[in-house]
Amino acid sequence: MGKPLEGIKIIDFTHVQAGPACTQLLAWYGADVIKVERPGSGDVTRSQLRHVEDADALYFTMLNSNKRSLTLDTKTAQGKEVLERLIRESDVLVENFGPGALDRMGFTWERIKELNPGMIVASVKGFSDGHHYQDLKVYENVAQCAGGAASTTGFWDGPPTVSGAALGDSNTGMHLAIGILTALHQRNQTGKGQKVAVSMQDSVLNLCRVKLRDQQRLDAIGYLEEYPQYPHGEFSDVVPRGGNAGGGGQPGWVLKCKGWETDPNAYIYFTIQGHAWEPICRALGKPEWIDDPEYNTARARQDKIFDIFATIENWLSDKTKYEAVDILRKFDIPCSPVLSMKEIAADKSLRESGSIVEVPHPKLGTYLTVGSPIKFSDMTVEVKPSPLLGEHTDEVLADLGYTAEQIAEMHAARAV
Ligand code: CAO
């Protein structure tokens, strides 16, 4: 059976992480993604953080699998001519250049529409059109700061903190993929393309929705009962950083397990869900807490929550994080070991599900990457190696109708 997006041709003008994460996803699901790169250098991530000399860096290979690579200098007349042909034949153009770069190249939305009225032009920018920061170039951590993640992450006595997760980059790419698929669906009904734009600030904010919830609750009543600052600490007029507190109605925290003194990840995340209170008390050897009105509701526990966590940590002190979770899972307690990247890389279940895959690469050797996090009952997602720079240039140009002589001429003129 074919892949669902087979037949969709995508001009992939993306670089670094936000855009490539989007187009990689579409390539996995069958789209023909042609990565357009500057001759000679290509996507900057090919050479950033290399660990094997002369081979593409993992930064590139892990974000550009299943694509084809076309080198093209779109600032030359020949390069522009090739791009025009490509636009006429494609369904989607995806870009994440700095603001205005596509227009400066001569490919405004008006011009693209003229060339192909069915074209979907999908863009990532740091801030949305019309925003007072719309001219800014943006990277991951800038977006985390602008979208509300940094001010609400970390501990109350430390500075704003960025997450290790790519909330600004890959997350924005995922939002853009949803936008592209939505626009393709609409085009099936109307025949018309459209512009799809996602800003990194908006994508981070979309994941920080609950913090905007909290700001409004704080404005109304002056405190937030699920934060560690309640009831003994102080609240100002802005949502504070809550450390490792659970964001919903169930208190939780990162708790030490056996070996924490030497292993930086000998911890579990422990959540106290209301219905599990009785089994938690039994597991801890504290049956007297089960019916004690000082303990038996979430509200009653709140002012003693860190003493309760300390009791749980005491119980955990002779158990590894894996042993602890194996006991707690029997009591239906939402919990997980804190896993290092080394543990994740070796995880048997993640390998079996295709969430971590091994990919052969002609220059880099076999490397690990993250496979499709979305699983389909009727499709197996195969992760193929990322293309070498310009690997498919001649093939793509021939598909566009250029003769071997014309292609050789373009090479000689360094247009490709
Ligand atoms: N041929 C010729 N020129 C090309 C080309 C090609 N194939 N591909 C790119 N270029 C040119 C662009 O036209 C642009 O030229 P001008 O500025 O002269 O018009 C130039 O390369 C630089 O593009 P840029 O502004 O995108 O690159 P940068 O390295 O200065 O900035 C980044 C990088 C990421 C900060 C910026 O692209 C950006 O803000 N993008 C939007 C937000 C985003 O996606 N950020 C996330 C990146 S993932 O961490």
Side-chain angles (χ1 to χ4, degrees):
M1 191 156 124
K3 302 268 191 251
L5 298 185
E6 253 168 35
I8 301 291
K9 195 165 175 174
I10 298 183
I11 304 171
D12 181 13
F13 247 141
T14 69
H15 62 159
V16 200
Q17 185 173 168
C22 164
T23 48
Q24 175 172 261
L25 193 85
L26 302 174
W28 284 342
Y29 305 153
D32 178 13
V33 175
I34 301 169
K35 178 142 181 137
V36 182
E37 299 179 82
R38 222 193 296 232
S41 50
D43 188 327
V44 68
T45 58
R46 284 190 185 267
S47 56
Q48 271 179 354
L49 312 175
R50 264 186 187 153
H51 73 287
V52 174
E53 216 181 323
D54 291 335
D56 288 326
L58 283 169
Y59 198 5
F60 179 85
T61 62
M62 292 177 74
L63 285 157
N64 291 285
S65 55
N66 299 42
K67 302 180 184 178
R68 296 197 284 165
S69 168
L70 162 72
T71 47
L72 193 65
D73 184 341
T74 56
K75 287 190 174 163
T76 63
Q78 278 169 318
K80 285 189 206 301
E81 208 267 331
V82 172
L83 186 56
E84 285 190 6
R85 278 202 204 184
L86 252 184
I87 289 174
R88 284 203 177 88
E89 295 202 353
S90 300
D91 302 281
V92 186
L93 183 153
V94 191
E95 62 93 18
N96 69 321
F97 292 130
L102 198 60
D103 292 357
R104 289 195 294 278
M105 222 182 256
F107 291 90
T108 59
W109 168 231
E110 296 310 320
R111 176 72 187 127
I112 293 171
K113 251 195 319 190
E114 239 171 58
L115 293 166
N116 180 353
M119 178 64 99
I120 290 155
V121 174
S123 300
V124 167
K125 295 288 166 270
F127 294 88
S128 56
D129 265 0
H131 189 283
H132 55 274
Y133 285 150
Q134 69 170 1
D135 56 317
L136 281 177
K137 289 185 173 180
V138 169
Y139 283 107
E140 173 67 56
N141 292 344
V142 177
Q144 291 202 27
C145 290
S151 69
T152 53
T153 302
F155 283 80
W156 44 92
D157 52 356
T161 304
V162 296
S163 164
L167 308 179
D169 282 339
S170 278
N171 168 46
T172 305
M174 299 305 105
H175 279 78
L176 193 68
I178 295 168
I180 291 169
L181 295 174
T182 306
L184 279 169
H185 186 67
Q186 189 167 34
R187 196 188 65 176
N188 286 341
Q189 294 150 12
T190 65
K192 274 175 54 190
Q194 61 183 303
K195 258 170 92 166
V196 179
V198 179
S199 87
M200 295 168 74
Q201 181 189 37
D202 291 354
S203 302
V204 173
L205 174 60
N206 192 29
L207 299 194
C208 292
R209 186 173 294 260
V210 295
K211 299 298 176 182
L212 186 58
R213 172 201 70 189
D214 294 347
Q215 185 61 54
Q216 295 173 81
R217 294 167 56 226
L218 186 66
D219 291 344
I221 59 173
Y223 63 91
L224 298 165
E225 66 195 43
E226 75 282 22
Y227 279 64
Q229 289 81 351
Y230 178 85
H232 305 300
E234 301 249 311
F235 284 92
S236 73
D237 61 350
V238 300
V239 175
R241 292 187 270 286
N244 287 316
Q250 291 82 30
W253 202 255
V254 168
L255 301 180
K256 290 170 190 157
C257 295
K258 185 175 159 188
W260 67 272
E261 297 90 339
T262 50
D263 176 353
N265 296 305
Y267 291 83
I268 61 167
Y269 198 88
F270 189 102
T271 313
I272 303 182
Q273 225 188 351
H275 78 267
W277 180 243
E278 182 179 336
I280 290 171
C281 296
R282 292 201 192 287
L284 295 178
K286 287 275 183 191
E288 66 275 18
W289 282 357
I290 295 172
D291 296 316
D292 184 342
E294 282 293 304
Y295 284 90
N296 69 357
T297 64
R299 177 150 285 188
R301 288 190 287 273
Q302 193 57 41
D303 65 342
K304 307 177 256 311
I305 200 73
F306 282 99
D307 294 335
I308 296 171
F309 287 143
T311 305
I312 301 171
E313 270 189 343
N314 192 34
W315 177 80
L316 290 167
S317 63
D318 62 349
K319 298 167 188 70
T320 68
K321 61 185 177 184
Y322 297 111
E323 288 164 354
V325 168
D326 276 342
I327 297 170
L328 295 170
R329 69 201 298 184
K330 296 193 187 102
F331 297 115
D332 203 17
I333 292 168
C335 61
S336 170
V338 171
L339 296 176
S340 68
M341 274 299 148
K342 195 175 174 70
E343 289 165 318
I344 285 173
D347 189 300
K348 202 164 154 270
S349 298
L350 291 176
R351 297 291 186 106
E352 281 168 6
S353 67
S355 298
I356 297 273
V357 292
E358 284 186 12
V359 185
H361 186 276
K363 290 199 166 176
L364 194 57
T366 296
Y367 64 92
L368 285 187
T369 193
V370 181
S372 174
I374 307 168
K375 315 293 184 199
F376 299 85
S377 63
D378 279 352
M379 172 175 54
T380 306
V381 179
E382 189 194 346
V383 181
K384 298 182 194 151
S386 57
L388 300 174
L389 180 61
E391 186 178 338
H392 305 95
T393 299
D394 292 0
E395 175 183 301
V396 173
L397 293 174
D399 287 351
L400 288 173
Y402 290 101
T403 62
E405 291 74 35
Q406 287 170 320
I407 295 171
E409 225 178 82
M410 283 191 241
H411 278 290
R414 302 223 166 119
V416 296

